[in-house]
Amino acid sequence: MVHDQLTATRRRLLASGAAVSAGMVAGCIGGDNGAGPDGQHLLYTQEVNPEGDFDPIVSNDAYSAQIIHQVYDGLYEYDYDLELQPKLAAGEPEEEEDGERYIIEIVDDAEFHNGDPVTAEDVAHSFTAPVEEDTDNRPEYDFIDVDGTEAIDEHTVQIDLEHPYGPFETLTVATYVVNESVRTDDPDDYNTNPVGSGPFTFDDWTSDEFVELEAWDDYWGDPQPELESVRFEAAEDDAGRVSQILAGDTDAIATVPPEDWDQIDGEEGIDVHRTESPSYMYVAFNCNEGETTDPEVRRGIAHAFSMSEFVDANLGDGGTPIASPIPPIVNEIWDFPTDDWDEATPDYDPDEAEELLESGLDDPDDWNPTIIVPPDDVRIALGELIASRLDELGYDAEVQSLDFATLTDTYISGDADDYEMYILGWTGGPDPDVYLYNLFHEDNAGVTQGHFYEGSDDFHDTISEARQTADQDERREMYIDVIDEIVEELPAMAAYSEHNTIATQDYVTDMQPHPNVSYNPELVSDDNNVGIDEE
């Protein structure tokens, strides 16, 4: 499962609005006259060009995943409420062996694009291959018992786990199913010429330029795609995507920049769509060394500015402030006590900030914290706001905007000379484990988290125990205890959840952004079927 707009390795840092290289100029489908209602052909402009791995066993970037979602069907897939629904599966998983075995029936009429039937052997291979081949996606499947995972018959798969894994039924079963025989015959070719069972077939790809897909006339599922083809191009500069949608040079763009929201939304002939996403942006503190090892200092910084005012001014309709490391859409699924966390979150109180900083700092006269941020405007602005408020209190804070490669090498050093704060984010799925294990557990210190928070005696053990517990009610109670401590001790301060947004020309029908960014654009589902109004 891809959890990020930049990368889905164990360093999955959310990069919505990622600034990479110069933007590509979008072309058109079926001619040289720009985009427009010319048959059922859609031109979709992504934020970043796919890396070019279109085998879901190997691929780990969200932009390739957006292509994969059109070409492959999952065993289960998320609906717009982030609830898993059977796709290639014929029903719900049957749990056995106290959560260490699952039996899953698959439908008997699904086919791959080459006419091969989708079998339980293909499903078993889709779960075991990331482990056996040690791909970048292995951490999401490490608990799979490779020897015990097998086809019982043509349409029944047995998936064994080395230990119970709570998120298995909420995350792992949302696995795309590959064609084992074609894939294993030539893995390299399969990566760039994928054979899936989804509504679109892979037609053409030129690296850093475009990907073209064609509707599969014999798609086994329902509904049949309305579109005849879809072309993906990228404009990696926000201004480039905005100019293309305004000029009519593309049919749809991903991610409407907050500063351009009102202009695009007010433009005749253009529609703007948004939905909540499971994204979590945060300000993390260096708990390894330096002044921010003291929770009073961390709370003092949190009291020095208003996060809600910042989000309103910089994101507007594009995001919402949050008080915990779990995004609102996931809080709702788990019925977490968010009112308690809202109440416990430090509000803007400069007097309290000054008092806490003065009492908590070892050397108030010589504190010059460094805040490192990725190269996107909103998070740079947040870093600058924190620095300016600290400056007003007499401390000379510095903001450094680093490219992602440098940032990922820096924020895990634990060196206070490198940073005392960093601003990053994470996007996952409807299970708290995605956030709490990856961003707070000691196993991931120096990997996916750089705060190095030690926590209370049972903090890390509780996170581990929760992910190895099959009972969801028990897991909920354990997660509440963990989140209570995070909100109180602030190894990381929750900032905001950014919405998934898409802008379309008004002749594009039935397009809705999905909460799971790797599904966008959701072209064919039970809830929508994108088409072109040619009238």
Side-chain angles (χ1 to χ4, degrees):
M1 178 180 179
V2 174
H3 298 221
D4 185 1
Q5 291 188 329
L6 177 68
T7 175
T9 65
R10 286 172 64 88
R11 292 183 181 174
R12 290 170 289 195
L13 308 174
L14 181 67
S16 55
V20 192
S21 60
M24 299 292 295
V25 177
C28 60
I29 297 174
D32 298 320
N33 297 318
D38 179 22
Q40 294 299 317
H41 309 287
L42 179 77
L43 172 59
Y44 185 81
T45 304
Q46 297 175 286
E47 306 99 311
V48 175
N49 280 295
E51 290 183 4
D53 292 325
F54 303 112
D55 172 4
I57 303 297
V58 175
S59 180
N60 66 356
D61 75 287
Y63 305 103
S64 295
Q66 292 174 346
I67 311 298
I68 286 169
H69 184 64
Q70 321 303 330
V71 175
Y72 292 87
D73 280 326
L75 187 60
Y76 296 82
E77 294 184 358
Y78 292 108
D79 63 18
Y80 280 83
D81 295 318
L82 282 183
E83 294 181 358
L84 281 172
Q85 306 296 335
K87 187 64 177 180
L88 289 168
E92 300 302 317
E94 180 183 340
E95 179 189 323
E96 296 182 354
E97 304 291 334
D98 296 323
E100 292 189 3
R101 172 172 292 172
Y102 290 87
I103 306 298
I104 301 174
E105 301 284 339
I106 66 170
V107 296
D108 59 10
D109 59 343
E111 291 186 353
F112 289 107
H113 299 149
N114 66 347
D116 290 347
V118 179
T119 70
E121 292 281 359
D122 298 306
V123 176
H125 177 72
S126 301
F127 279 85
T128 60
V131 180
E132 293 176 313
E133 299 171 22
D134 195 23
T135 74
D136 285 339
N137 296 319
R138 177 171 182 157
E140 296 174 27
Y141 297 88
D142 245 348
F143 49 86
I144 298 290
D145 180 348
V146 172
D147 293 332
T149 298
E150 60 184 0
I152 297 175
D153 58 42
E154 188 174 1
H155 295 110
T156 309
V157 64
Q158 171 184 297
I159 302 173
D160 279 5
L161 312 185
E162 293 183 350
H163 55 74
Y165 181 63
F168 180 82
E169 290 187 75
T170 59
L171 295 177
T172 315
V173 294
T175 291
Y176 292 110
V177 176
V178 301
N179 185 312
E180 180 185 19
S181 63
V182 177
R183 181 179 183 275
T184 54
D185 182 59
D186 190 341
D188 290 338
D189 183 69
Y190 192 80
N191 198 33
T192 53
N193 292 287
V195 178
S197 61
F200 290 88
T201 62
F202 199 84
D203 182 47
D204 195 10
W205 168 61
T206 298
S207 179
D208 294 332
E209 291 189 21
F210 67 86
V211 176
E212 287 189 358
L213 309 178
E214 289 188 355
W216 183 26
D217 293 337
D218 297 320
Y219 179 47
W220 69 274
D222 186 59
Q224 297 293 303
E226 184 79 15
L227 293 169
E228 296 175 39
S229 67
V230 56
R231 178 178 175 118
F232 291 81
E233 297 184 358
E236 297 179 339
D237 174 67
D238 286 351
R241 293 196 311 283
V242 171
S243 65
Q244 287 175 27
I245 193 72
L246 291 176
D249 291 333
T250 185
D251 299 318
I253 65 168
T255 305
V256 178
E259 64 271 20
D260 298 300
W261 180 279
D262 290 341
Q263 179 187 9
I264 295 175
D265 193 33
E267 189 76 14
E268 185 176 355
I270 297 177
D271 297 322
V272 178
H273 318 270
R274 69 171 177 268
T275 189
E276 284 187 90
S277 80
S279 70
Y280 157 62
M281 298 292 180
Y282 60 91
V283 181
F285 299 99
N286 188 336
C287 300
N288 185 61
E289 64 178 44
E291 298 282 15
T292 49
T293 58
D294 189 326
E296 283 199 355
V297 173
R298 302 196 292 266
R299 293 190 70 81
I301 295 169
H303 278 298
F305 70 102
S306 170
M307 185 67 76
S308 60
E309 290 183 6
F310 170 83
V311 173
D312 183 61
N314 288 270
L315 287 166
D317 294 323
T320 185
I322 57 178
S324 83
I326 308 300
I329 193 170
V330 183
N331 281 325
E332 186 174 343
I333 293 170
W334 285 76
D335 192 27
F336 280 141
T338 54
D339 289 345
D340 294 345
W341 298 330
D342 288 337
E343 191 171 322
T345 297
D347 55 6
Y348 176 48
D349 188 337
D351 293 334
E352 181 73 4
E354 185 173 18
E355 182 178 334
L356 287 168
L357 290 171
E358 285 182 357
S359 64
L361 292 168
D362 291 332
D363 189 359
D365 295 328
D366 192 31
W367 185 51
N368 309 112
T370 298
I371 307 168
I372 57 175
V373 300
D376 84 77
D377 292 343
V378 176
R379 282 176 283 188
I380 291 172
L382 179 55
E384 290 177 342
L385 172 63
I386 296 171
S388 67
R389 292 293 185 263
L390 292 178
D391 289 347
E392 292 172 5
L393 295 172
Y395 308 106
D396 185 16
E398 178 188 5
V399 179
Q400 295 180 0
S401 175
L402 306 177
D403 63 80
F404 275 99
T406 304
L407 186 66
T408 55
D409 288 338
T410 303
Y411 86 95
I412 58 173
S413 72
D415 188 338
D417 290 335
D418 289 338
Y419 67 95
E420 287 198 63
M421 286 165 267
Y422 62 91
I423 302 176
L424 281 173
W426 195 267
T427 190
D431 197 291
D433 179 75
V434 174
Y435 307 90
L436 300 179
Y437 178 71
N438 290 289
L439 296 179
F440 293 95
H441 195 273
E442 59 190 355
D443 283 355
N444 292 310
V447 183
T448 50
Q449 60 98 338
H451 51 70
F452 298 91
Y453 176 65
E454 292 185 1
S456 59
D457 290 343
D458 57 358
F459 180 78
H460 300 287
D461 289 342
T462 302
I463 295 175
S464 295
E465 185 180 352
R467 74 191 320 249
Q468 295 185 27
T469 299
D471 187 289
Q472 303 301 326
D473 291 334
E474 291 180 16
R475 296 180 67 222
R476 177 181 179 276
E477 293 305 313
M478 287 187 274
Y479 286 138
I480 289 174
D481 290 341
V482 169
I483 297 168
D484 282 345
E485 180 170 334
I486 293 170
V487 172
E488 177 63 29
E489 297 297 323
L490 286 179
M493 175 174 55
Y496 57 89
S497 182
E498 195 164 12
H499 302 325
N500 288 339
T501 56
I502 292 175
T504 66
Q505 306 294 347
D506 61 5
Y507 53 75
V508 177
T509 62
D510 210 16
M511 183 175 285
Q512 311 170 42
H514 196 280
N516 185 345
V517 68
S518 65
Y519 281 20
N520 286 323
E522 180 72 283
L523 299 177
V524 181
S525 76
D526 289 339
D527 298 305
N528 69 304
N529 193 351
V530 173
I532 301 292
D533 184 355
E534 300 177 64
E535 294 183 2

